[in-house]
């Protein structure tokens, strides 16, 4: 009989232990599947490991849940739910049966009657069986009898995945959750964009809009009652200002107040000192005929003062207290009153300093030292950019008028006006005009042209400009060049070349319409010297340009550019069939001068193949020499061929026997001549190309 001393519990049977051991050995899970319920025929059963069945089984059902005890990993909990329509017997003994029908575990339970609904009392009753075993790691745990089977490890990992650990505690204004609504991460953004709100303005944008909205427009006039100019304003004092420094104000005023002596790139402010302002008539008719911004002299409106003083003698009537004039009294017409007043007609007034809004300054910008700003702009304009190109490639075919120009990057212009353009792929058609062609005129034969790239920031194009030859008179030892046809297209610092000036000479000053001063003195007196000037192209308004190549046209009617290839600064002629250069261009050939020591050199002009902008020239001396030599040098003082390296000419060939020889080298020119001597009939001096100073 059950009392307070009764003991209840369960255990694995001998059959169950053997089955579990076998499953462990084979590495397969053991799968308990059914729970058996018995009434023990009304007795109080004592479970035994040797049992193979219940004393009296009354019910068999599939396990609803099989799990490991959360407090003891060696305790297995099996659970079955008895619905209301099952029962009519006592629950005194329990057992587990695996999927193969093995009687695996047995237990006794406190007697409990399970009624059925027909008895007038029905309920769902949960029966749990706790079984002690030596381990539960290889037992298949049944989570849902109809759907899922999972190992204990799987269940643990799944639960841990649903509730991730190690999340920092705190308060967050923005959180991220997974598809189960579980917190994953949190943050506290400080900007609207951090919350994903993009249809609004940033702080800087709002500040700029407030500054723009609260600022007076450029060109507005204000009278300040103190001798101070507020930031963003200029005094209206008739002074000349730079367009580059005040572009907005220059655009607004234009040249309305210019007098013609402002100089290029400048404009003039109106003069307001000591002046009253008057509203423009603008068709009203009160002050008709006035032009906007025009001055008007002072004026007093036309009027009269009439009076007639009387002169004569008379008596005073004591009764009427009136003066009675004598009959001989007469009027004194034409008399004037005494002078009164000052030097002008004016109303009462307050002296102010009239100023104009010159630029829209940001809020609370502080004072700007305009003089220092202008000085900085001038300094930046004077800066010279030394690296103007990256991976520059220019080429011509010698069979068309097209020049192809490519570059990874070009710097165009200088100082504050400099602009960078990238991935350049342009061409010049020498037969066309304007951007993409010649800047002016038509292409000429046997002439030199500069290839420029121009941009206005939005559009970029290549353009060619002639390097014309002008004649001028020069005198030995003097830098003056006179009798020039025109100096209109010249500028200070422009390069030019001549056979009678040191190479690299530039214009030092432009003295008149027909005279300039060079940076070096002439090396000879010549009545009409040929001088080639590096003219700049005529560009559309708003464009700046820089030169990136120089070429020569052929002497045929086609006037095509000579075939060449340029990589960065080096330009090399490209002889080939079907081009206008079959062989390297010759400067001299055959017997010339004498090759004795010292040689007698013959000057050879290079201006037909080398532009004024070249810094070095690549020459080849070649010949079929035997007991003679061919020599080239940049000046006639070279000693020719010698065993002393310091005195040897930089380019020479010689041989004791008849043989074909050639030598190539880079020469830095000293003037517009190379000096050549050769004792071989079959010999020559050729120009391979030149390094362009871009």
């Amino acid at each position: 009989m059950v009392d307070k001393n009764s003991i209840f519990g369960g255990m694995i049977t001998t059959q169950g232990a053997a089955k579990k051991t076998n499953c462990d050995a084979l590495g397969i899970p053991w799968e308990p599947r059914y729970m058996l319920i018995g009434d023990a025929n009304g007795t109080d059963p004592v479970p035994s490991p040797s049992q193979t069945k219940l004393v009296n089984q009354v019910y068999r059902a599939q396990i609803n849940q099989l799990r490991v005890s959360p407090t003891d990993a060696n305790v297995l909990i099996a659970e079955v739910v008895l619905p209301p329509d099952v029962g009519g017997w006592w629950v005194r003994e329990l057992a587990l049966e695996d999927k193969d029908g093995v009687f695996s575990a047995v237990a006794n339970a406190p007697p409990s009657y399970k009624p059925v609904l027909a008895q007038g009392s029905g309920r769902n009753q949960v029966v749990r069986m706790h079984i002690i075993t030596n381990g539960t790691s290889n037992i298949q745990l049944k989570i849902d009898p109809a759907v899922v089977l999972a190992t204990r490890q799987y269940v643990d990992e799944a639960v841990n995945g649903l509730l991730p650990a190690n999340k920092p505690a705190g308060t967050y204004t923005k959180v991220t959750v997974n598809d189960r609504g579980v917190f994953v991460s949190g943050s506290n953004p400080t900007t609207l964009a951090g919350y994903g709100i993009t249809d609004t303005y940033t702080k800087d944008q709002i500040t700029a809009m407030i500054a723009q909205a609260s600022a007076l427009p450029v060109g507005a006039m204000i009278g300040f009652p103190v001798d101070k100019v507020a930031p963003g304003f200029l005094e209206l004092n008739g002074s000349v200002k730079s367009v580059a420094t005040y572009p907005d104000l220059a655009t607004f005023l234009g040249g309305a107040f210019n007098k013609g002596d402002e100089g290029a790139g400048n404009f003039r402010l109106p003069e307001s000192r000591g002046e009253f302002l008057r509203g423009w008539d603008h068709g009203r008719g009160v002050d008709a005929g006035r032009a906007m911004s025009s001055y008007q002299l002072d004026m007093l409106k036309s009027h009269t003062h009439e009076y007639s003083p009387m002169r004569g003698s008379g008596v005073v009537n004591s009764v009427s207290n009136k003066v009675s004039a004598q009959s001989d009294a007469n009027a004194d017409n034409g008399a004037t009153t005494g002078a009164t007043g000052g030097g002008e007609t004016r109303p009462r007034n307050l002296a102010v300093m009239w100023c104009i809004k010159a630029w829209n300054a940001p809020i609370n910008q502080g004072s700007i030292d305009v003089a220092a700003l202008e000085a900085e702009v001038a300094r930046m304009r004077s800066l010279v950019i030394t690296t103007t190109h990256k991976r520059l490639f220019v080429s011509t075919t010698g069979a068309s008028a097209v020049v192809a120009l490519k570059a990874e990057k070009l710097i165009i212009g200088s100082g504050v006006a400099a602009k960078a353009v990238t991935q350049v792929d342009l061409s010049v058609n020498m037969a066309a005009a304007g951007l993409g062609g010649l800047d002016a005129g038509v292409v000429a034969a046997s002439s030199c042209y500069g290839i420029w790239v121009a941009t206005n920031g939005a559009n970029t194009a290549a353009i060619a400009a002639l390097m014309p030859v002008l004649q001028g008179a020069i005198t030995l030892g003097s830098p003056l060049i006179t009798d020039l046809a025109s100096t209109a297209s010249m500028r200070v610092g422009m390069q030019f070349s001549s056979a009678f000036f040191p190479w690299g000479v530039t214009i030092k000053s432009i003295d008149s319409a027909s005279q300039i001063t060079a940076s070096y003195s002439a090396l000879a007196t010549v009545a009409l010297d040929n001088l080639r000037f590096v003219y700049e192209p005529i560009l559309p308004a708003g464009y700046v340009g820089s030169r990136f190549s120089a070429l020569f046209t052929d002497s045929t009617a086609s006037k095509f550019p000579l075939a060449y290839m340029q990589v960065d600064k080096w330009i090399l002629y490209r002889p080939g069939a079907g081009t206008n250069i079959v062989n390297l261009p010759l400067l001299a050939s055959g017997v010339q001068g004498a090759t004795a020591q010292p040689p007698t050199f013959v000057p050879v002009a290079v201006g037909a193949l080398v532009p004024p902008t070249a810094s070095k020239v690549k020459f080849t001396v070649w010949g079929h020499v035997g007991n003679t030599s061919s020599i080239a040098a940049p000046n006639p003082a070279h000693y020719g061929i010698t065993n002393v390296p310091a005195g040897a000419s930089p380019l020479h060939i010689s041989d004791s026997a008849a043989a074909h020889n050639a030598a190539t080298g880079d020469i830095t020119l000293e003037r517009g001549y190379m000096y050549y001597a050769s004792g071989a009939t079959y010999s020559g001096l050729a120009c391979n190309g030149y390094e362009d100073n871009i």
Side-chain angles (χ1 to χ4, degrees), residues 275-570:
E275 303 290 350
F276 289 97
L277 302 184
R278 180 175 186 174
W280 180 36
D281 184 273
H282 206 183
R284 182 184 178 191
V286 175
D287 188 24
R290 290 287 301 280
M292 188 64 179
S293 303
S294 63
Y295 287 102
Q296 190 178 58
L297 297 177
D298 57 347
M299 179 183 290
L300 189 63
K301 186 174 182 179
S302 176
H303 64 284
T304 61
H305 295 274
E306 184 175 342
Y307 74 100
S308 298
M310 302 295 294
R311 297 183 183 275
S313 59
V315 296
V316 177
N317 187 314
S318 60
V319 177
S320 62
N321 198 27
K322 293 181 179 179
V323 177
S324 298
Q326 295 291 338
S327 60
D328 61 349
N330 53 52
D332 188 2
N333 295 322
T336 60
T337 62
T340 186
E344 63 180 358
T345 302
R346 63 171 180 256
R348 291 177 59 182
N349 61 82
L350 172 69
V352 298
M353 179 188 292
W354 286 108
C355 295
I356 190 168
K357 189 65 180 296
W359 72 92
N360 275 327
I363 296 176
N364 297 329
Q365 63 153 15
S367 298
I368 293 179
D369 189 334
V370 176
L373 179 62
E374 287 183 313
E376 179 64 14
V377 170
R379 186 190 69 81
M380 293 184 67
R381 282 180 170 174
S382 66
L383 294 178
V384 177
I385 300 174
T386 57
T387 303
T388 61
H389 54 85
K390 183 178 182 181
R391 295 187 177 90
L392 173 64
F393 182 83
V394 188
S395 64
T396 61
T397 64
S400 77
V402 176
V403 182
L405 186 150
K406 300 177 184 291
E408 184 175 319
K409 184 177 182 180
L410 298 178
I411 303 297
I412 302 173
S414 61
V416 294
K419 294 179 173 62
V421 294
T422 58
Q423 304 305 319
V424 180
D425 188 353
L426 304 171
S427 64
V428 173
N429 185 347
M430 302 290 287
L435 293 175
L438 284 179
D439 68 327
V442 295
V443 66
S446 301
S447 298
C448 185
Y449 289 86
I451 302 300
W452 297 67
V453 176
T455 184
N456 62 358
N459 300 300
T460 302
I463 190 169
L466 177 67
M467 297 185 188
V469 174
L470 280 69
Q471 291 186 322
I474 61 175
T475 302
L476 175 65
S478 172
L480 295 180
I481 303 174
T482 61
D483 299 334
L484 292 166
S486 173
T487 60
S489 297
M490 299 180 185
R491 64 167 179 81
V492 173
M494 179 179 287
Q495 285 183 280
F496 68 92
S497 63
S498 161
F500 303 106
F501 274 95
W503 196 259
V505 64
T506 61
I507 298 175
K508 183 178 181 180
S509 66
I510 300 173
D511 308 323
S512 69
S514 61
Q515 177 178 303
I516 62 174
T517 298
S519 58
Y520 297 107
S521 296
L523 303 174
T525 297
V526 181
L528 288 177
D529 183 24
N530 292 322
L531 307 111
R532 189 184 299 278
F533 291 87
V534 185
Y535 273 17
E536 298 172 353
I538 301 171
L539 298 175
Y543 277 78
V544 295
S546 291
R547 190 185 61 81
F548 291 99
S549 189
L551 58 82
F552 288 84
T553 55
D554 63 31
S555 59
T556 69
S558 298
K559 296 172 279 191
F560 290 154
L562 295 179
Y564 78 92
M565 179 181 69
Q566 175 179 347
V567 178
D568 289 329
K569 292 185 176 184
W570 270 102

Side-chain angles (χ1 to χ4, degrees), residues 133-278:
T133 180
N134 62 354
T136 58
S137 61
N138 197 40
I139 298 176
Q140 186 86 7
L141 303 182
K142 196 172 192 180
I143 300 172
D144 185 336
V147 182
V148 179
L149 294 177
T151 64
R152 174 185 176 184
Q153 180 181 3
Y154 173 83
V155 174
D156 290 343
E157 290 178 352
V159 172
N160 290 337
L162 291 174
L163 299 173
N166 301 322
K167 293 297 184 291
T171 301
Y172 302 103
T173 57
K174 181 181 179 181
V175 297
T176 301
V177 298
N178 62 16
D179 57 359
R180 295 179 180 273
V182 177
F183 170 85
V184 175
S185 63
S187 61
N188 294 296
T190 58
T191 63
L192 292 176
Y195 288 101
I197 301 173
T198 57
D199 58 341
T200 185
Y201 295 106
T202 65
K203 179 181 178 181
D204 291 341
Q205 289 173 327
I206 293 173
T207 300
M209 286 189 291
I210 293 174
Q212 186 70 25
S214 61
L216 290 171
V218 169
M221 290 176 56
I222 289 183
F224 290 103
V226 292
D227 186 13
K228 295 179 182 178
V229 179
F233 287 84
L234 294 174
E235 182 185 3
L236 290 174
N237 56 9
S239 61
V240 175
K241 300 297 179 184
S242 167
V243 173
T245 305
Y246 306 104
D248 295 339
L249 183 60
T251 300
F252 182 80
L253 293 180
F257 301 95
N258 287 0
K259 298 180 179 179
D261 59 350
E262 290 77 17
N266 297 319
F267 68 101
R268 188 180 296 275
L269 297 176
E271 175 64 88
S272 70
R273 294 173 296 180
E275 303 290 350
F276 289 97
L277 302 184
R278 180 175 186 174

